[in-house]
Amino acid sequence: MYKRVSLVASPVLLGLLWQLRNEPLAVCLCISILAGLATWCIIPATTHSFKRVGLAGRDMSKPLRPELAESMGMVAATIYLVATFVFIPVQFHGYWSTTQSPRVFPYARLGEYLSALLSLQSMVFLGFADDVFSLRWRFKLVLPIVASVPVLIVYYVGHGVTQVVVPVFLRPWMGKCVDLGVLYYVYISLMSVFCTNAINILAGINGVEVGQSLVIAISIVLKDLVYVNSSNPETEYRHLFSLYLLLPFIAVSSALYYWNKYPARVFVGDTYCYFAGMTFAVCGILGHFSKTLLLLFAPQMFNFVYSAPQIFGLVPCPRHRLPQMVQNAGPHRARRMDLHRQVSTAMRSFSKGPRRSRNAVCMVASRTLLDGATKLGLRIICIYEYLGLAHVDRNDDGTMQSINNLTLLNLVLIHRPHLTEAQLNHRILLIQLVNSSLAFIIRYQLSHLFYF
């Protein structure tokens, strides 16, 4: 089906490209759709080649654990880069057209666009290296900073604005604005680290990495469209810049989601997570809406803070923290696939859920033993347990034995342990969608309480 749709749509889009060649935003939309169709067709055609060179993995959330091609985010990222390269002459078409009076070419804007593509290309390369060599976490924290250097340099050379507006309740002590100087560049470089790794941490089931990225990207695009016809030329340019980067991203990500959603036919790999995170970071930095971007990343921030005890070694952290698969063996009995005794409570909750077919496959929160947990880690776990954020298994004398792995996916499964993998993905996307709505309410309706 995807081949027939692409063959029919491509000539139509090429015709529209020629008719709308003087409208950069319309051309960007057409190129984006072509990029999405190309991704849709090329991914199934390249899966065998990826498997042949060893880029494949087992889907641990399926009963038969099928082998799927890994790192298919590389295909989407490559097509995205090709689309954005092709768009460069279109974006600046009006500045060398002979039909108009000559204008000064905007070298600064070209530099911003090229620096964004250079950072994205660097991050795609580093993400693919992580897929191939399984880099350690200390390298994953450093590599995004290196990839963001082109954007930071262009930001410094172009305008170098390092002032931030102080909230109203702090102005008696700090004034209306504070110049952070070099600390501002530290902040935006750390934002690139956070964005790239936040999506990578909130992962583990079919479709969740691409799905959350699509919700964030569409939310930013909706915000950008409001400002496209702004009376302020600089504001209009910043949001057009964001649209030029995000429209092809949404197109290739939508095609990738088609193949990665449940039941997945391919895995996206760390390449896509880094690529998506750097795309958002570049748009937020050069588009001047980093605060709004952080609001849209609230679920990822919560997931990072929630996971911090395991990430920083306060609580034992297994290599894979993805939810465990449970196969329903009857209407009142469930059987866990790895026979781990610590999920007895989750099993009781599961047995109370709606009846499913004898072979229905569901998910429960995975767990880890607390052997080797630090005193600080155990205190944090007690706080989590008190707040209802963790399920702790204790022995007869009250000593903590195990805890659910600290991820948002497992937290959802604590309260709804009988979800299927597709339902769990939909819950995460719903959380992301509700957060986007709240982020816009806070940013545009409640911001006057803090800034005016």
Side-chain angles (χ1 to χ4, degrees):
M1 180 189 70
Y2 59 90
K3 293 181 179 179
R4 291 195 295 269
V5 172
S6 300
L7 287 174
V8 172
S10 296
V12 176
L13 290 169
L14 290 173
L16 286 174
L17 274 175
W18 178 254
Q19 293 293 328
L20 303 172
R21 59 187 181 276
N22 294 322
E23 299 292 336
L25 187 57
V27 173
C28 181
L29 180 60
C30 292
I31 292 176
S32 300
I33 297 174
L34 286 171
L37 293 174
T39 306
W40 196 23
C41 295
I42 293 176
I43 284 179
T46 56
T47 53
H48 179 70
S49 299
F50 275 67
K51 289 181 180 179
R52 189 174 64 248
V53 297
L55 290 173
R58 297 286 179 181
D59 193 341
M60 306 298 289
S61 300
K62 303 297 185 301
L64 301 179
R65 297 187 176 182
E67 185 181 59
L68 304 179
E70 193 97 48
S71 305
M72 296 309 292
M74 186 67 181
V75 176
T78 302
I79 296 174
Y80 171 88
L81 290 172
V82 172
T84 50
F85 290 160
V86 170
F87 182 67
I88 292 175
V90 177
Q91 182 179 357
F92 301 98
H93 172 266
Y95 291 93
W96 54 62
S97 175
T98 58
T99 60
Q100 300 179 4
S101 58
R103 290 182 288 173
V104 178
F105 190 85
Y107 293 102
R109 294 185 177 182
L110 176 61
E112 287 185 347
Y113 191 77
L114 294 179
S115 69
L117 297 185
L118 180 58
S119 291
L120 288 172
Q121 189 173 5
S122 301
M123 204 66 246
V124 170
F125 171 76
L126 297 173
F128 188 68
D130 186 22
D131 280 334
V132 175
F133 300 109
S134 299
L135 302 178
R136 297 188 178 185
W137 270 105
R138 58 175 176 266
F139 299 116
K140 295 181 181 182
L141 296 177
V142 174
L143 294 179
I145 297 178
V146 176
S148 65
V149 168
V151 171
L152 297 179
I153 294 298
V154 169
Y155 187 88
Y156 174 78
V157 173
H159 38 78
V161 176
T162 57
Q163 291 183 335
V164 295
V165 180
V166 178
V168 175
F169 58 88
L170 294 177
R171 289 180 184 177
W173 299 277
M174 303 180 65
K176 187 175 181 179
C177 295
V178 173
D179 190 356
L180 297 180
V182 70
L183 293 179
Y184 189 83
Y185 292 94
V186 175
Y187 156 70
I188 58 179
S189 63
L190 291 179
M191 189 173 69
S192 67
V193 176
F194 168 75
C195 290
T196 52
N197 287 284
I199 294 176
N200 195 23
I201 295 173
L202 184 53
I205 62 173
N206 295 167
V208 71
E209 300 97 327
V210 188
Q212 62 183 303
S213 300
L214 276 172
V215 174
I216 295 173
I218 293 172
S219 301
I220 297 174
V221 165
L222 292 177
K223 176 190 70 67
D224 290 333
L225 290 174
V226 175
Y227 293 95
V228 165
N229 294 319
S230 173
S231 58
N232 187 335
E234 183 66 19
T235 300
E236 181 181 12
Y237 160 70
R238 294 297 169 189
H239 290 281
L240 281 174
F241 176 88
S242 175
L243 284 171
Y244 294 155
L245 292 178
L246 287 178
L247 288 178
F249 175 81
I250 291 174
V252 299
S253 296
S254 299
L256 182 60
Y257 184 75
Y258 176 85
W259 298 109
N260 181 243
K261 67 180 181 180
Y262 181 88
R265 274 67 59 90
V266 298
F267 289 140
V268 299
D270 290 341
T271 304
Y272 179 82
C273 298
Y274 292 150
F275 159 60
M278 185 55 74
T279 301
F280 297 136
V282 166
C283 290
I285 294 170
L286 296 180
H288 295 184
F289 54 87
S290 59
K291 293 194 293 290
T292 304
L293 180 64
L294 291 178
L295 288 174
L296 294 173
F297 267 83
Q300 287 74 20
M301 286 193 286
F302 171 83
N303 185 63
F304 173 76
V305 174
Y306 182 58
S307 302
Q310 286 190 314
I311 293 175
F312 295 107
L314 303 178
V315 175
C317 182
R319 177 171 176 79
H320 296 291
R321 300 186 296 166
L322 66 159
Q324 293 288 338
M325 178 179 60
V326 170
Q327 190 165 2
N328 190 14
H332 301 289
R333 184 168 60 91
R335 177 175 61 88
R336 181 175 176 174
M337 300 307 293
D338 63 353
L339 301 179
H340 201 286
R341 73 177 186 85
Q342 280 83 9
V343 296
S344 57
T345 302
M347 294 298 98
R348 288 193 294 271
S349 300
F350 173 71
S351 64
K352 297 176 184 178
R355 293 193 177 189
R356 300 179 184 272
S357 63
R358 181 171 295 272
N359 295 321
V361 176
C362 304
M363 311 293 291
V364 295
S366 60
R367 308 186 67 82
T368 185
L369 297 175
L370 292 175
D371 298 337
T374 64
K375 292 182 179 180
L376 177 58
L378 294 176
R379 290 180 181 177
I380 295 175
I381 290 173
C382 290
I383 296 174
Y384 282 0
E385 184 181 26
Y386 176 78
L387 296 174
L389 299 177
H391 177 265
V392 180
D393 185 40
R394 301 174 182 269
N395 58 16
D396 295 336
D397 61 1
T399 303
M400 292 186 289
Q401 296 294 312
S402 69
I403 187 177
N404 60 280
N405 282 310
L406 302 177
T407 67
L408 182 58
L409 295 174
N410 288 310
L411 177 59
V412 172
L413 288 171
I414 290 175
H415 302 284
R416 293 296 304 273
H418 57 276
L419 297 176
T420 64
E421 187 173 2
Q423 289 173 333
L424 178 58
N425 178 49
H426 295 159
R427 293 295 194 283
I428 298 299
L429 298 188
L430 179 61
I431 291 172
Q432 192 73 57
L433 185 61
V434 171
N435 174 75
S436 295
S437 302
L438 293 176
F440 289 135
I441 293 174
I442 294 171
R443 181 66 181 87
Y444 297 107
Q445 298 297 323
L446 301 180
S447 59
H448 68 278
L449 300 177
F450 303 95
Y451 305 95
F452 61 81

